Amino acid sequence: MQRQRAIIRTIGVATAVALAATACGPQKTESAGSSSAAPSSPTAGATPETSPTADNKPGEPSPSASASASASASASASPSPSVKQIMANGDESEQVRELQARLKQLKLMTVAPTGFYGSKTTAAVKSFQSKNGLEATGGVDEKTWKKIQSSSKKPTDDELRPPTVNEVAAPDPRCMTGRVMCISKESRTLAWMIDGKVVSTMDVRFGSENTPTREGVFNVGWKAKEWTSTIYHTPMPYAMFFSGGQAVHYSADFAARGYAGASHGCVNVRDKGKLSKLFDDVQVGDKVVVYW
């Protein structure tokens, strides 16, 4: 009997740990939040707003990354079936990032390239097509792409991946030694620091006011390049878990909607390229500081 009870307790603990470790994902409504109910100060993601860098129409929210592909028909006029699309609403790739950088050169986009093809990219492509006598579908076919390429120059690395849109806050004193992901809720930025020097920076968002991202000093407990929340069933690529189910990870929803949404407590990053490199650099045991 004692052995049987011990087995039951072991299974119960393992189940609880598994649930806690995957309790994160983008909120489906503006009032939803994270899996954590721990008290905390209101986070920067608590008040939904239209982000100046989100790929959506000014003044209105855009669909999430998972919904964008299916919503493309309503976001733009359907192209002729005979025209093969190279890029379209809902796509995410380095080619899309290049497209956005070129459109920015042409003064048709003001946001930083994200690599995600959302409503702002669709609107910019439509504008270009209208001005150049092309069918204004909002999608990029071969003819449109060639015209955009001939009208602009090859983007530089800085144009493809500019410094963080949000101004990086002064590092917390606890970030000044060792290897640290220094995460500011006030500036909504993550700075990867080694021995007090900033190596890279990126924009981030947090959980909502009701279930916020926890603040304090933590350590990376484990990492997973590919992970899906077992509670919210949402992808969490490049996840670096630092506090129970809360992790730093890439969010296609953040790339699509910006600060109009929030996580379920995790620290979302919208630049997959930057986060991929950070994921390779960060080691289990490295420090994580989340502060105001």
Side-chain angles (χ1 to χ4, degrees), residues 5 76 94 113 119 132 269:
R5 285 195 296 269
S76 63
E94 287 304 300
S119 55
N132 288 273
V269 178

Side-chain angles (χ1 to χ4, degrees), residues 105-165:
Q105 289 177 13
L106 297 171
K107 311 297 184 185
L108 295 174
M109 289 191 75
T110 58
V111 302
T114 64
F116 182 82
Y117 200 124
S119 55
K120 279 194 173 181
T121 305
T122 300
V125 170
K126 275 187 177 181
S127 177
F128 178 85
Q129 290 169 327
S130 296
K131 292 177 180 178
N132 288 273
L134 302 169
E135 185 181 0
T137 65
V140 178
D141 56 24
E142 186 175 355
K143 189 174 182 180
T144 297
W145 182 227
K146 285 183 177 180
K147 185 65 176 178
I148 290 174
Q149 287 177 308
S150 65
S151 303
S152 58
K153 60 182 179 64
K154 184 177 180 179
T156 64
D157 289 342
D158 284 343
E159 287 176 315
L160 291 170
R161 286 183 170 80
T164 52
V165 175

Side-chain angles (χ1 to χ4, degrees), residues 1-14:
M1 288 297 292
Q2 290 181 344
R3 182 180 179 185
Q4 188 175 28
R5 285 195 296 269
I7 292 173
I8 292 173
R9 284 198 301 269
T10 300
I11 293 173
V13 170

Side-chain angles (χ1 to χ4, degrees), residues 60-140:
E60 66 182 57
S62 73
S64 66
S66 60
S68 292
S70 62
S72 60
S74 60
S76 63
S78 298
S80 169
S82 62
V83 178
K84 183 179 179 181
Q85 296 290 298
I86 298 174
M87 291 171 275
N89 194 307
D91 289 347
E92 184 174 10
S93 67
E94 287 304 300
Q95 189 177 32
V96 171
R97 186 184 296 274
E98 180 183 346
L99 167 68
Q100 292 168 330
R102 288 179 180 271
L103 290 170
K104 192 170 182 181
Q105 289 177 13
L106 297 171
K107 311 297 184 185
L108 295 174
M109 289 191 75
T110 58
V111 302
T114 64
F116 182 82
Y117 200 124
S119 55
K120 279 194 173 181
T121 305
T122 300
V125 170
K126 275 187 177 181
S127 177
F128 178 85
Q129 290 169 327
S130 296
K131 292 177 180 178
N132 288 273
L134 302 169
E135 185 181 0
T137 65
V140 178

Side-chain angles (χ1 to χ4, degrees), residues 44 166-169 184-190 203-204 259 291:
N166 297 328
E167 185 177 353
V168 180
S184 168
K185 285 188 171 182
E186 182 177 9
S187 65
R188 298 188 287 195
T189 56
L190 182 157
D203 298 325
V204 295
Y259 296 104
Y291 67 100

